[in-house]
Amino acid sequence: MDLHIVTDPDDPRLDDYRGLTDTALRTRTESANGLYIAESAKVIERAVAAGHRPRSVMVQRRWVDGIRLLLRDVDVPVYEVPDAVAEAVAGFDVHRGALAAMHRPALPAVAEIVSDAHLVLVLAGIGDHTNIGAAFRAAAGLGADAVLVAPRCADPLYRRSVRVSMGTVFQVPWTRMPDWDGSVTDLRAAGFEVAALALSEDAVSLRDYSRGRADRVALLMGSEGEGLSDTELASADRIVTIPMRGGVDSLNVASAAAVALYALADE
């Protein structure tokens, strides 16, 4: 690593970290530069271990030694900044010590991701980054072989998504679906049954579905408020529901994903 001390919050070398609480600004900046932001030494370590390349790192003084050890074999500029500068640039208290601007890896094709998979989680229209991160953590911990992210979904590499996932977004194979119909066609060509988790009069209970599940299942989850669109529901071979009690009609999408993955995962 190549260490530089930066004390001016307006220094252009820190531009990748500017206004990280402004989603619109981040979207423009990261899309243009092909980057995402990894927060904390642990997340940076997992990203690097997964083969992702940092473009630079912004670190507060008390965290420099840890970052030096972490990046000892990586040729990357590291900008050491005072706490006040980190907060002024990022727009929040960077209490986790370090931020890295990471090059986004090239995403594989849907057919490649699912070629050897038997249980795939498909996230459609989920806009909350916390739910995206929690769903990835459930996928990693409960046996999903891959995750497909539909076009309307939030970014799994958004700072909050990565943090909530505990870095499992770097662990589970995933890709963004370039279009809905083509990606569903790829799933069917690979022998997947598409099971949509939704409320419907003709839905089968998760318990019954899991007893006779197909060998290859793509579990489709919809958005937090509206659920799955008519187009997405029409793509499903089966509609599955989690029976609820106490007057509650459904679970949070990430919680529902965890329950369904646990029921469908191979022993």
Side-chain angles (χ1 to χ4, degrees):
M1 56 172 266
D2 184 15
L3 186 65
H4 305 262
I5 297 175
V6 180
T7 58
D8 180 3
D10 294 324
D11 192 307
R13 290 176 294 178
L14 304 181
D15 283 351
D16 287 341
Y17 307 99
R18 207 168 299 286
L20 296 183
T21 56
D22 184 335
T23 303
L25 176 63
R26 279 200 57 173
T27 300
R28 290 195 302 271
T29 301
E30 293 182 17
S31 297
N33 295 326
L35 303 173
Y36 71 90
I37 300 297
E39 180 182 4
S40 83
K42 180 174 290 187
V43 169
I44 296 168
E45 181 178 22
R46 290 181 177 177
V48 170
H52 296 200
R53 295 185 300 109
R55 175 158 110 159
S56 69
V57 177
M58 182 176 75
V59 60
Q60 291 154 282
R61 289 171 179 166
R62 63 185 177 279
W63 298 89
V64 167
D65 288 344
I67 291 297
R68 191 191 306 276
L69 180 63
L70 172 62
L71 299 177
R72 61 189 178 277
D73 298 323
V74 181
D75 183 15
V76 60
V78 174
Y79 305 122
E80 177 190 319
V81 298
D83 293 2
V85 169
E87 183 172 356
V89 172
F92 64 96
D93 180 9
V94 189
H95 64 277
R96 294 175 183 267
L99 298 169
M102 307 292 299
H103 292 282
R104 286 179 177 266
L107 292 176
V110 169
E112 179 182 346
I113 279 288
V114 305
S115 62
D116 296 322
H118 288 270
L119 179 58
V120 173
L121 180 63
V122 183
L123 304 178
I126 299 174
D128 186 281
H129 294 99
T130 297
N131 282 336
I132 291 286
F136 265 86
R137 190 173 181 184
L142 296 170
D145 300 306
V147 178
L148 298 181
V149 181
R152 297 187 299 116
C153 258
D155 182 11
L157 293 179
Y158 186 80
R159 179 174 58 88
R160 182 179 296 276
S161 300
V162 173
R163 187 172 72 241
V164 172
S165 81
M166 295 297 290
T168 55
V169 69
F170 308 125
Q171 174 182 336
V172 183
W174 71 275
T175 196
R176 172 84 63 175
M177 302 163 74
D179 66 275
W180 182 259
D181 291 338
S183 298
V184 171
T185 297
D186 288 339
L187 284 169
R188 296 201 192 288
F192 279 85
E193 180 174 85
V194 180
L197 209 62
L199 299 176
S200 174
E201 291 183 359
D202 60 349
V204 62
S205 76
L206 176 62
R207 182 179 294 107
D208 291 340
Y209 180 72
S210 65
R211 287 172 181 156
R213 56 156 285 186
D215 179 58
R216 310 187 88 180
V217 175
L219 180 65
L220 175 56
M221 311 289 302
S223 67
E224 298 87 344
E226 299 177 359
L228 294 165
S229 69
D230 291 341
T231 298
E232 290 157 353
L233 277 173
S235 301
D237 300 299
R238 303 289 297 275
I239 307 296
V240 180
T241 189
I242 299 173
M244 305 296 294
R245 301 177 183 178
V248 178
D249 64 353
S250 63
L251 296 172
N252 164 277
V253 63
S255 299
V259 171
L261 289 172
Y262 179 80
L264 296 175
D266 294 331
E267 295 294 338

